[in-house]
């Protein structure tokens, strides 16, 4: 059975990791029913790191049966909130103990830097599991007053077997966003990481066992979207599907849910977030956050501030300083102390971003910075800035999901709001101004699920995250995610012995 065994000897992490990488069903690792494997590629050089067991539709059926059995016997209404909380806390503590190891696995698999994986992905992932551990024994309904003859109340019951499908850009963190609330509410899980970045999810499988979760509560299948992902979204016994990925695939998932058992669907999808800088902004602060807004995680953030709107009074100075900041970004080995940007995740993603850069050029925009490959091997792309764009260009309208920003001049508030809201997406937005009234007014008028004032890309376990428009349905994180993992039952009791 497949195993990942790897020795790191890097400036930031030294040690050997060794864990099974089979299909994880019922607390055990096994070969997938097809006995085939998926290669995991190192994005810094395009070479194979390891191979993991590939799951199939048949494995989805088995995992759902096992998850259903666990729901009916050892989890769901059979596991009190205090027990669910204790196990989630165990898991968070184990993640804390293995924080460096998990960050190292993520950096190798995804290409993000070890230091950011540790500071952002692991920190928020662990916080999220702890946060939902706190919720596990506080999930409760209400008593609803009607008449003296009636007792009426609601129960917030677990849904059953939930399917969860993730993207590759924050593999472990997104997994925590999904399993945390689902487990706190008492659901059992069939989880599919992205086939591009399966390693941290498989390492989590062993930690989930070690934390003491009963077998079958969490099942992890690495497989492709059109097989395993499709089998999950169309499965008659998966009662809820939570998805993070592209709008295109989100649409397919909703279609499959509609064609089958009308399962509840939560979708966390793409974005093309506006980042608005007014004349009165603290310029240096705005530049630092704007750079982080688009270039953090190599531009592979759903909420990346990829459309940078700058008011005409400061446009030239902003562009000069912002360009200098972007040009100073250190691309390099994800395990070096001083790297900020690593490679894009895959050849496919590299090609996609380069084709957007080509389209920007052919549609007449100016490449103000970058626009080319970095290095000889792997999937590296220079931080890229476009200017002289038109509103209908592909690079202004579509999600590039790479280190590519467009800088656009605007005149006044109404002008920028019209442009900022002119997209099918509505995930996040940022506004920079020292006038708090204006900041709040603009934040309220932006059609986005998250609005940042004088900052960007800020995420917390207790603050909801999700999209307006075609950026998604539902919310993750915070109390808001809880409602997506419970079914509300109303109970009417005739206490007055009333007859019809
Ligand atoms: P993707 O949609 O290609 O894939 C996401 C997942 O869906 C993968 O696990 C994939 O195997 C699976 N999948 C593919 N086809 C499927 C199908 N037909 N049925 C079921 N599952 C299928 O997205 P990606 O390239 O992995 O990730 C990038 C996208 O994710 C971007 O659009 C980004 O904005 C989005 N994203 C959104 C959020 C958010 O919280 N809103 C967070 C991270 C990423």
């Amino acid at each position: 059975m497949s195993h990942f065994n790897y020795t790191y000897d890097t400036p930031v992490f030294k040690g050997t990791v060794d864990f099974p990488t089979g299909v994880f069903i019922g607390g055990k690792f096994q070969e997938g029913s097809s006995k085939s494997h998926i290669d995991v590629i190192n994005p810094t050089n395009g070479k194979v790191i390891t191979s993991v067991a590939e799951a199939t539709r048949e494995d989805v059926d088995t995992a759902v049966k096992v998850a259903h059995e666990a729901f009916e016997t050892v989890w769901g209404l059979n596991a009190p909130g205090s027990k669910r909380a204790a196990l989630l806390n165990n898991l968070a503590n184990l993640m804390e103990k293995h924080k460096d190891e998990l960050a190292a696995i993520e950096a190798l698999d995804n290409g993000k830097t070890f230091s950011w994986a540790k500071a952002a992905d692991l920190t928020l992932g662990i916080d999220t599991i702890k946060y939902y551990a706190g919720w596990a024994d506080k999930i409760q309904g209400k008593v609803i007053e009607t008449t003296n003859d009636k007792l009426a109340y609601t129960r917030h019951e677990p849904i059953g077997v939930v399917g969860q499908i993730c993207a590759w850009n924050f593999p472990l963190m997104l997994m925590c966003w999904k399993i945390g609330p689902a487990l706190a509410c008492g659901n059992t899980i069939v989880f599919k990481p992205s086939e591009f970045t399966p390693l941290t999810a498989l390492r989590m499988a062993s930690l989930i066992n070690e934390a003491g979760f009963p077998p079958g509560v969490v099942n992890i299948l690495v497989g492709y979207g059109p097989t395993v992902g499709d089998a999950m979204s169309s499965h008659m016994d998966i009662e809820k599907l939570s998805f993070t990925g592209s709008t295109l695939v989100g649409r397919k998932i909703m279609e499959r849910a509609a064609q089958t058992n009308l399962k509840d669907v939560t979708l966390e999808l793409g974005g093309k977030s506006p980042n608005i800088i007014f004349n009165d902004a603290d310029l240096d602060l705005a530049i630092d956050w704007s750079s982080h807004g688009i270039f953090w995680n190599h531009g592979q953030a759903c909420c990346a501030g990829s459309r940078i709107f700058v008011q005409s009074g400061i446009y030239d100075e902003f562009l000069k300083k912002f360009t200098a900041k972007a040009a100073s970004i250190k691309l390099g080995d994800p395990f070096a102390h001083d790297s900020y940007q690593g490679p894009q995740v895959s050849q496919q993603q590299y090609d996609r971003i380069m084709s957007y850069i080509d389209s920007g050029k052919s549609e007449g925009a100016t490449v103000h910075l970058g626009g080319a490959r970095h290095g000889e091997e792997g999937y590296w792309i220079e931080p890229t800035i476009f200017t002289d764009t038109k509103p209908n260009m592909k690079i202004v309208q579509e999600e590039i999901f790479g280190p590519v920003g467009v800088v656009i001049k605007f005149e006044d508030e109404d002008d920028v709001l019209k442009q900022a809201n002119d997209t099918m997406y509505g995930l996040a937005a940022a506004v920079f101004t020292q006038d708090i009234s204006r900041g709040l007014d603009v934040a309220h008028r932006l059609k986005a699920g998250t609005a940042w004032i004088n900052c960007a890309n800020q995420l917390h376990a207790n603050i909801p995250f999700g999209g307006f428009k075609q950026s998604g349905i539902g919310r993750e994180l915070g109390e808001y995610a809880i409602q997506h993992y419970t079914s509300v039952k109303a109970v009417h009791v005739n206490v007055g012995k009333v007859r019809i």
Side-chain angles (χ1 to χ4, degrees):
M1 217 251 307
S2 53
H3 241 258
F4 178 52
N5 180 292
Y6 192 88
T7 299
Y8 292 81
D9 182 14
T10 75
V12 287
F13 181 70
K14 294 189 198 310
T16 299
V17 301
D18 187 7
F19 57 92
T21 53
V23 169
F24 182 70
I25 298 177
K28 294 196 177 75
F29 292 92
Q30 55 199 57
E31 284 293 344
S33 60
S34 70
K35 309 267 186 286
S36 53
H37 293 87
I38 295 179
D39 284 344
V40 181
I41 306 295
N42 179 344
T44 64
N45 56 21
K47 297 196 173 123
V48 176
I49 305 169
T50 186
S51 301
V52 303
E54 179 190 352
T56 60
R57 287 178 179 274
E58 211 179 317
D59 296 318
V60 173
D61 280 339
T62 312
V64 173
K65 278 197 193 87
V66 167
H68 184 70
E69 175 72 18
F71 181 77
E72 293 295 337
T73 55
V74 291
W75 203 245
L77 297 173
N78 298 302
S82 54
K83 178 171 181 189
R84 303 197 302 265
L87 297 184
L88 281 164
N89 275 322
N90 289 351
L91 181 61
N93 292 337
L94 283 167
M95 290 176 70
E96 193 73 57
K97 184 174 157 198
H98 294 279
K99 194 170 184 179
D100 280 24
E101 178 197 335
L102 287 163
I105 299 168
E106 201 75 303
L108 184 70
D109 194 358
N110 170 280
K112 63 178 67 201
T113 64
F114 171 86
S115 51
W116 272 109
K118 191 172 166 187
D121 302 48
L122 262 295
T123 300
L124 183 51
I126 294 167
D127 278 359
T128 304
I129 298 293
K130 282 189 191 154
Y131 172 78
Y132 285 109
W135 265 108
D137 58 1
K138 297 170 195 70
I139 294 163
Q140 57 207 19
K142 297 175 181 171
V143 172
I144 299 168
E145 297 303 334
T146 52
T147 68
N148 283 340
D149 294 323
K150 182 181 271 192
L151 167 64
Y153 60 94
T154 55
R155 284 161 59 80
H156 293 190
E157 298 184 357
I159 298 172
V161 180
V162 304
Q164 303 185 319
I165 300 177
C166 269
W168 45 258
N169 57 335
F170 296 99
L172 178 59
M173 185 181 88
L174 295 176
M175 180 184 192
C176 295
W177 290 17
K178 293 204 185 297
I179 67 170
L183 292 171
C185 294
N187 302 284
T188 55
I189 296 172
V190 176
F191 181 86
K192 186 188 107 54
S194 166
E195 60 275 26
F196 290 105
T197 53
L199 293 180
T200 41
L202 293 170
R203 180 67 185 101
M204 284 287 279
S206 300
L207 298 183
I208 285 165
N209 273 349
E210 201 179 329
F213 285 91
V217 171
V218 183
N219 305 278
I220 300 171
L221 309 182
V222 181
Y224 293 107
T227 54
V228 172
D230 182 74
M232 288 168 67
S233 37
S234 59
H235 205 289
M236 294 302 285
D237 297 324
I238 289 184
E239 305 279 351
K240 190 229 157 57
L241 199 294
S242 172
F243 171 77
T244 297
S246 61
T247 298
L248 190 74
V249 174
R251 215 181 284 286
K252 285 186 193 167
I253 283 177
M254 209 167 169
E255 201 179 313
R256 297 296 278 145
Q259 286 164 345
T260 53
N261 63 345
L262 281 178
K263 58 178 65 62
D264 180 65
V265 171
T266 303
L267 302 175
E268 291 288 345
L269 309 176
K272 189 76 182 171
S273 300
N275 178 19
I276 301 169
I277 298 125
F278 282 98
N279 284 341
D280 70 343
D282 175 332
L283 195 59
D284 290 338
L285 179 122
I287 285 164
D288 285 352
W289 281 112
S290 301
S291 174
H292 185 67
I294 177 60
F295 297 122
W296 176 54
N297 211 42
H298 330 161
Q300 300 168 152
C302 48
C303 51
S306 50
R307 293 179 297 144
I308 301 153
F309 294 98
V310 187
Q311 202 165 13
S312 50
I314 54 159
Y315 179 87
D316 291 340
E317 193 185 354
F318 176 92
L319 186 60
K320 191 166 151 227
K321 288 189 166 172
F322 179 63
T323 306
K325 174 92 188 165
S328 74
I329 285 176
K330 176 85 172 52
L331 277 79
D333 177 6
F335 291 94
H337 281 290
D338 58 348
S339 297
Y340 178 83
Q341 184 177 324
Q344 309 307 130
V345 75
S346 63
Q347 181 71 52
Q348 190 177 328
Q349 191 59 18
Y350 173 90
D351 292 343
R352 191 164 174 263
I353 297 164
M354 291 312 274
S355 81
Y356 272 113
I357 291 175
D358 289 344
S359 109
K361 290 178 188 164
S362 65
E363 286 191 310
T366 303
V367 182
H368 189 76
L369 180 77
R373 164 187 261 294
H374 171 86
E376 301 298 316
E377 57 172 11
Y379 316 129
W380 309 72
I381 297 179
E382 293 173 347
T384 299
I385 299 171
F386 274 103
T387 54
D388 305 317
T389 58
K390 299 248 166 16
N392 59 353
M393 286 180 178
K394 275 173 72 169
I395 55 166
V396 176
Q397 289 296 329
E398 297 182 17
E399 183 183 45
I400 301 174
F401 222 54
V404 183
V406 294
V407 181
I408 301 165
K409 193 187 287 187
F410 74 90
E411 294 304 329
D412 60 35
E413 210 169 300
D414 287 340
D415 169 30
V416 76
L417 277 162
K418 192 159 165 277
Q419 293 192 62
N421 288 331
D422 176 26
T423 151
M424 69 177 212
Y425 294 112
L427 191 57
V431 51
F432 289 85
T433 172
Q434 296 193 67
D435 175 348
I436 191 62
S437 303
R438 168 150 58 191
L440 290 169
D441 181 50
V442 171
H444 294 179
R445 291 167 70 194
L446 283 162
K447 295 197 189 329
T450 293
W452 292 294
I453 300 176
N454 293 329
C455 57
N457 285 348
Q458 294 292 285
L459 301 162
H460 292 274
N462 55 354
I463 301 181
F465 184 74
F468 283 18
K469 300 198 278 184
Q470 292 179 46
S471 285
I473 296 175
R475 293 291 175 272
E476 292 201 304
L477 301 179
E479 184 177 352
Y480 293 83
I482 296 287
Q483 71 200 42
H484 297 301
Y485 285 104
T486 53
S487 295
V488 177
K489 178 182 283 172
V491 181
H492 301 239
V493 187
N494 180 357
V495 290
K497 299 206 168 89
V498 178
R499 290 178 184 276
I500 195 83

